């Protein structure tokens, strides 16, 4: 059995360091294209984002670390002009590579790791019904929904509930526990409710809050000191949250969780609420690519990492070209977040890509994963073997 999550384990797993494309074994021309594309994202009359941070590399080498644009560009949104309200230049806040972001659904990845840690310990069973652990979850109990169903988004639960409309947290959790599937079980239907129910399972089994589980089992042993639930000072701004486009009237948000249900649940939720930096997320990628170890810390064993990352994936999306581009197809895994966040790790090439952006600043727009696809494709091409033989110079 592997060491308990968060306990120092097998030494020697490589830790991240900055380096050149050559040191990473990556094509500098393709990485240059990746960087140029990211630098253009905050430009134009309808920019994709106000600002962004991208980290990419191979093995232990970070070959790209770039910040562009603004962590805070707008003070609000003018609905009549359909444009952001720009403050005096001195009040704008430039983006840096250390800027924390509201991760939105990337939170689900840490919730997943926390669940798989309990699977490894034997305190949870993947195919056990949810109500074995939380009998109050009567909505899923009637249908025999399992921990696996929640992790693979095959529970049939609808994408979300308007928990923020209910008067208090007790009624919000009660609504979640009594919610029944709206689609046939086994049908893949991505749902925030799955991760919220997994939060309930984790907290009941361990008798600890999700924030503590993630801190003690993931972020502290890995040295991810910039990662945690909000509020978070210095974070990139998100949205001027007002009706009719938002579900709550909260004004311009910075350092407060963007997701309305996570906010209504106090900021700690299985589906959203974490803040982090690109470097911390690269550490998580490196840990998983190394089979669960980073330096002298071990948070999972290789078999359980493989269980999580092997198609169809547990919590992680696997081989999804709509945001992974040409990294998809060989077992790449990752996730996206509504606020503009994403990460991809590719065991086949030992590469990782973290792209964080505040695409909802100053307000949400129809989703567009084109920049994610281009960045992932550039990294895939940078990692591709170069041709050899007569006429190639090799």
């Amino acid at each position: 059995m592997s060491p308990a999550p968060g306990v120092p384990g097998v030494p020697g797993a490589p830790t991240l360091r900055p380096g050149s494309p050559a040191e990473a074994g990556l094509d500098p021309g393709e990485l240059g294209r990746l960087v140029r594309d990211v630098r253009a994202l905050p430009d134009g009359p309808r920019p994709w984002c106000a600002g962004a941070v991208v980290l990419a590399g191979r093995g232990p080498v970070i070959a790209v670390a770039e910040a562009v644009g603004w962590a805070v560009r707008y003070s609000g949104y003018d609905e009549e002009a359909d444009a952001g309200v720009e403050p005096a230049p001195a009040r704008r806040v430039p983006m840096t590579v250390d800027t924390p972001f509201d991760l939105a659904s990337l939170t689900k990845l840490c919730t997943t790791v926390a669940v798989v840690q309990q699977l490894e310990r034997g305190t949870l069973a993947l195919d056990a019904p949810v109500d074995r652990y939380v009998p109050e979850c009567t909505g899923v109990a009637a249908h025999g929904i399992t921990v696996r169903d929640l992790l693979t988004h095959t529970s049939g639960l609808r994408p979300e509930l308007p928990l923020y409309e209910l008067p208090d947290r007790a009624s919000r959790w009660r609504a979640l526990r009594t919610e029944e599937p709206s689609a046939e079980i086994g049908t893949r239907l991505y749902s925030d409710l799955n991760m919220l129910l997994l939060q309930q399972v984790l907290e009941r089994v361990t008798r600890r809050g999700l924030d503590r589980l993630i801190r003690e089992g993931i972020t502290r042993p890995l040295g991810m000191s910039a990662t945690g639930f909000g509020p978070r000072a210095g974070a990139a701004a998100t949205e001027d949250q007002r009706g009719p486009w938002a579900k709550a009237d909260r004004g311009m948000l910075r350092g407060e969780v963007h997701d309305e249900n996570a906010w209504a649940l106090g900021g700690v939720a299985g589906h959203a609420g974490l803040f982090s930096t690109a470097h911390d997320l690269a550490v998580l990628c490196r840990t998983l690519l190394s089979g669960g170890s980073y330096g002298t810390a071990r948070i999972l064993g290789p078999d359980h990492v493989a269980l999580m990352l092997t198609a169809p994936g547990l919590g992680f999306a696997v081989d999804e070209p709509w945001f992974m581009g040409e990294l998809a197809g060989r077992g790449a895994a990752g996730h996206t977040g509504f606020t503009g966040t994403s990460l991809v790790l590719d065991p086949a090439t030992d590469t990782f890509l973290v792209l964080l952006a505040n695409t909802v600043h100053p307000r949400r727009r129809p989703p567009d994963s084109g920049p994610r696809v281009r960045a992932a494709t550039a990294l895939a091409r940078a990692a591709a073997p170069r041709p050899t033989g007569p006429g190639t110079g090799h």
Side-chain angles (χ1 to χ4, degrees):
M1 181 179 294
S2 65
V7 175
V10 180
T15 56
L16 291 172
R17 59 180 175 84
S20 67
E23 289 177 274
L26 295 170
D27 181 77
E30 292 293 346
L31 290 188
R33 183 173 293 107
L34 188 161
V35 169
R36 287 192 298 274
D37 285 348
V38 170
R39 286 175 177 169
L41 295 178
D43 296 338
R46 288 288 184 186
W48 188 68
C49 60
V53 177
V54 61
L55 254 68
R58 189 177 203 174
V61 179
I62 298 173
V64 170
E66 185 90 7
V68 298
W70 304 94
V72 180
R73 180 174 178 176
Y74 306 103
S75 59
Y77 171 72
D78 184 333
E79 186 175 7
E80 185 174 333
D82 189 24
V85 178
E86 300 204 31
R91 299 189 63 186
R92 294 185 188 181
V93 180
M95 193 73 77
T96 74
V97 293
D98 298 319
T99 297
F101 283 77
D102 180 335
L103 295 185
S105 284
L106 294 193
T107 301
K108 294 180 172 75
L109 302 184
C110 285
T111 302
T112 296
V113 171
V115 171
V116 175
Q117 287 176 333
Q118 297 306 316
L119 295 176
E120 186 176 50
R121 286 182 168 187
T123 55
L124 285 180
L126 193 55
D127 292 307
V130 173
D131 59 303
R132 174 187 296 182
Y133 306 108
V134 189
E136 302 95 314
C137 291
T138 56
V140 297
H143 302 270
I145 290 172
T146 66
V147 172
R148 186 191 298 270
D149 293 328
L150 299 181
L151 283 169
T152 56
H153 294 282
T154 55
S155 67
L157 292 167
R158 56 175 156 159
E160 66 174 1
L161 277 172
L163 302 176
Y164 50 85
E165 293 180 350
L166 298 175
D168 52 49
R169 290 185 201 173
S171 63
R172 294 161 191 158
W173 286 116
R174 186 163 53 249
L176 176 72
R177 291 168 179 160
T178 57
E179 178 71 10
E180 296 194 34
S182 62
E184 183 178 354
I185 298 170
T187 302
R188 185 166 174 82
L189 180 61
Y190 180 81
S191 173
D192 289 347
L193 307 188
N194 292 321
M195 290 296 164
L196 285 168
L197 285 176
L198 285 170
Q199 178 185 357
Q200 293 276 279
V201 169
L202 280 170
E203 293 184 343
R204 183 63 57 87
V205 166
T206 65
R207 300 182 183 275
R208 289 179 287 172
L210 180 64
D211 52 347
R212 183 178 170 189
L213 287 171
I214 290 174
R215 181 174 64 251
E216 295 180 352
I218 303 172
T219 62
R220 183 183 293 165
L222 296 181
M224 296 169 60
S225 58
T227 304
F229 289 96
R232 179 56 51 91
T238 54
E239 187 175 31
D240 184 2
Q241 205 166 83
R242 292 182 280 131
W245 56 87
K247 302 161 190 170
D249 290 314
R250 302 168 61 201
M252 180 58 73
L253 300 178
R254 186 185 185 201
E256 298 286 342
V257 63
H258 176 269
D259 183 271
E260 293 91 345
N261 276 342
W263 165 69
L265 293 170
V268 177
H271 72 294
L274 278 177
F275 289 76
S276 188
T277 62
H279 187 274
D280 269 18
L281 293 177
V283 168
L284 180 61
C285 291
R286 183 71 255 146
T287 301
L288 298 176
L289 287 167
S290 298
S293 297
Y294 186 78
T296 59
R298 182 176 182 181
I299 63 167
L300 278 174
D303 289 347
H304 282 82
V305 172
L307 178 69
M308 189 166 53
L309 301 185
T310 302
L314 298 180
F316 285 74
V318 178
D319 285 337
E320 293 283 2
W322 66 269
F323 76 93
M324 297 179 183
E326 292 181 12
L327 283 176
R330 297 168 298 189
H335 216 287
T336 66
F338 185 79
T339 52
T341 58
S342 62
L343 67 80
V344 185
L345 54 101
D346 181 25
T349 58
D350 199 25
T351 56
F352 57 89
L353 171 68
V354 179
L355 178 58
L356 304 179
N358 49 357
T359 59
V360 297
H361 183 54
R363 67 155 287 188
R364 65 191 72 185
R365 300 282 184 184
D368 171 17
S369 273
R372 293 169 173 149
V373 169
R374 290 191 292 273
T377 294
L379 181 59
R381 294 176 180 178
R386 298 178 185 176
T388 59
T392 67
H394 297 280

